[in-house]
Amino acid sequence: MQPFTKLTGIAAPLPMINVDTDKIIPAKWLKTIKRTGLGVALFETLRYADDGSERPEFVLNRAPYRSASILIAGDNFGCGSSREHAPWALLDFGIRCVIAPSFADIFHNNCFKNGILPVVLPKEQVDLLTREATEAGDPTFTIDLERQEIVRPTGNAVLKFAVDPHKKHCLLHGLDDIGQTMQRQSMIDGFEAKQRLAAPWLYREVA
Amino acid sequence: MAGPRTLFDKIWDAHLVDQQADGTCLIYIDRHLVHEVTSPQAFEGLRQTGRRVRRPEATLAVPDHNVPTTDRSQGIAEDQSRIQIETLQQNCRDFGVPLFDVTDIRQGIVHIIGPEQGFTLPGMTIVCGDSHTSTHGAFGALAFGIGTSEVEHVLATQTLYQTRPRNMRITVSGELPFGVTAKDVILAIIGTIGTGGGTGYVIEYAGEVIRGLSMAGRMTICNMSIEAGARAGLIAPDEVTFDYIKGRPMAPKGGAFEQAVQMWRQLPSDEGARYEKEVTLAAAEIEPQVTWGTSPQDVVPITGRVPRPEAEADPNRRSAMERSLDYMGLEPGLPMTEIRIDKVFVGSCTNGRIEDLRAAAKVISGKRVAPHVQAMVVPGSGLVKHQAEEEGLDRIFIEAGFEWREAGCSMCLGMNPDQLKPGERCASTSNRNFEGRQGKGGRTHLVSPAMAAAAAVAGHIADVRKFV
Ligand code: SF4
């Protein structure tokens, strides 16, 4: 996983609530057995008309947002399915950070596993950033994970954000969870030994 | 030591392998279900790192999302779907994971087959790379959906990093009125708390109504917990649960079963246990439900009308409503029962069990599907299909004009050829009415199996209470 330390880039406003995972990437794209190449299908139905041409009104089809690396979204972003294809598509497009008043749990988790930082801010602050991203001549923001700060194009006061310390640590260093857990093997062995005594039926052949 | 604990607290505490100073928990996963769509990249990850599956025998794989629901003994025509399923077969062979393959009678939707086989048991932690894993919570198991990176993590380590979710209890009190089913209850709940109402919580469902439901009804309720944003849904195990489990192929047998039941009886929440959030619904006020929009919270009673966006104060919500109505092609103020439909879909992990098929068959029996409607039944598993045929339900459906299909996810998400065409409108027993969910441009109205059957006969959204 690519570490996430400090990101400076264009922020695209997408003030829609309940943007579900089918909207981020429709099911027909889930037939892939790879993680890459999904960027073209990101927000497919919002981005393209039925004949495949771009919808000029959609934010990611407009300059300068076409090269956005930050997305400022509405409530409950990423609701719906567990498909990790959603963050894969965002990443493949070039989005490394999503800011919203709230996220769906599984999507939120999936972002961290892919080097994408989801930032939760109070709704008023998200509204404010949405306005700035819409109105600023150059909507470039900086997201500093170490300091947990958002630097705004207006030069107004930085906004602080909260982040789970374990997830922050993994993101900053690009750490692979599995590798860390493998080092705890003896704890897992110990757990299994105890559970096997307490609930032996959990250890019979199941299929 | 600690005071009274909830069902959730008990399962969580019993699965804690390690807790770090910052609160991050490493929890043990007892059972892992795997399907073809969210697993290929996880197995690929294992291969690249030279890792193996820690407990193949605690893992069970099945292809369900991509499988055609027509005869598949000749293989699968669509290339990408076939490759994904072949990849699953290969991965299961390479890593020793048990697989119910495409032509196995036990094949079916991952959340139907787990309970059906006794793979799902009370007190367990269960995960799957699929959001509707919440279904298994009906057994008093902590069950939740995970992404593909986490699938790989569980395959390799049988554990997951999690932060402890909060407890919510939703009590449905009283008695369900005539014609109202578990599906209506969960839709009413989502309509009340909203699609984000459960975010960060595990919801425990309680009250007389929940106690009175069969396992099928309980699974329908827990299944849609994710539609309320919850991490998982839970229902305390009781005699109904134990009766269901007894004798299932993978359930403990004999003395082991008795021993297990002893332990399962300790699981229900203690008197006085604390919940961070409590919601109560009176069953008497719940009517058969139907969705009008593109989010499961866009729901009204069948006697209701398409709502008016002007009445919504919050501008974000108002524009979401306008967008939904535009997509759905509906006029504000229209009575729900005047919405004409083109398709009916009975199936999915929400309502693809034998009880659901019986409920639909009861309404349809001796009647005909309206001439302009195409209706299909897709049983949740090969075994459900077999059971239905034993009971003669297939005849009832076929004689009424329904198509009788093979098991799978089918039109719930339209990854196989079963899809809505742009503009087509469907009364569906599935769980999501998102834009394009059942096919690009397709319009979904979520309902119970009985309501879907009533709509099939009427040719429009209809009140099932007038049909039985
Ligand atoms: S039936 Fe639908 S919701 Fe259930 S697992 Fe299949 S695709 Fe997902």
Side-chain angles (χ1 to χ4, degrees), chain A residues 96-116:
Chain A
R96 295 287 315 273
C97 172
V98 185
I99 302 170
S102 64
F103 291 90
D105 275 339
I106 308 178
F107 175 83
H108 188 254
N109 256 337
N110 284 343
C111 282
F112 283 105
K113 308 280 177 191
N114 290 282
I116 298 176

Side-chain angles (χ1 to χ4, degrees), chain B residues 64-65 109-111 130 132 223 348-349 409 412-413 431 437:
Chain B
D64 57 359
H65 284 61
I109 305 168
V110 68
H111 310 307
D130 193 284
H132 291 98
N223 172 274
S348 87
C349 57
C409 293
C412 174
L413 91 166
N431 44 51
R437 171 75 178 182

Side-chain angles (χ1 to χ4, degrees), chain A residues 15-18 20-23 26-35 44-46 48-50 74 76 79-85 88 102-106 109-110 113-114 123 127 164-167 176-182 184-185 187-189 191-192 195 197-207, chain B residues 14-18 20 22 24 26 28 30-31 37 40-41 51 54-55 57-58 66 78 80-81 83-84 87 98 119 121 124 129-131 145-150 152-153 156-157 159 161-163 195-196 199-200 226 229 231 250 252 256 259-260 263-264 295 297 316-317 320 323 413 415 432 434-435 437 440:
Chain A
M16 284 171 83
I17 59 168
N18 295 327
D20 57 70
T21 47
D22 285 76
K23 223 175 243 147
K28 71 169 204 230
W29 293 93
L30 312 190
K31 296 186 183 187
T32 175
I33 55 172
K34 302 202 180 73
R35 292 172 192 251
E44 187 183 40
T45 53
L46 296 170
Y48 306 106
D50 289 343
N76 201 24
C79 61
S81 102
S82 65
R83 59 187 70 162
E84 202 158 312
H85 310 69
W88 294 338
S102 64
F103 291 90
D105 275 339
I106 308 178
N109 256 337
N110 284 343
K113 308 280 177 191
N114 290 282
K123 188 164 176 309
D127 288 346
D164 176 277
H166 173 77
K167 294 191 168 113
D176 158 24
D177 265 351
I178 301 178
Q180 296 185 64
T181 311
M182 296 298 254
R184 295 191 152 81
Q185 197 110 324
M187 292 178 102
I188 303 172
D189 292 342
F191 179 91
E192 284 177 348
Q195 195 192 43
L197 285 177
W201 65 87
L202 291 172
Y203 287 82
R204 303 260 152 74
E205 279 295 312
V206 292
Chain B
H15 288 86
L16 212 49
V17 175
D18 186 27
Q20 298 174 3
D22 62 21
T24 305
L26 187 66
Y28 192 78
D30 295 321
R31 293 290 183 263
V37 177
Q41 297 86 351
R51 291 173 179 143
R54 184 177 172 95
R55 282 188 68 197
E57 79 286 359
N66 267 306
E78 217 258 330
Q80 277 190 304
S81 294
I83 290 169
Q84 212 167 45
T87 305
F119 185 79
L121 297 173
M124 283 179 164
D130 193 284
S131 58
I146 56 177
T148 298
S149 297
E150 291 178 313
E152 185 180 339
H153 194 278
T157 70
T159 63
Y161 287 102
Q162 293 283 303
T163 39
T195 46
T199 304
I226 184 71
R231 197 86 183 97
M250 297 178 183
Q259 191 194 351
M263 271 182 81
W264 297 339
S295 161
Q297 72 185 12
N316 277 340
R317 301 222 31 171
R323 190 187 155 86
L413 91 166
M415 271 188 85
R432 285 188 179 140
F434 298 159
E435 286 180 28
R437 171 75 178 182
K440 195 173 177 190

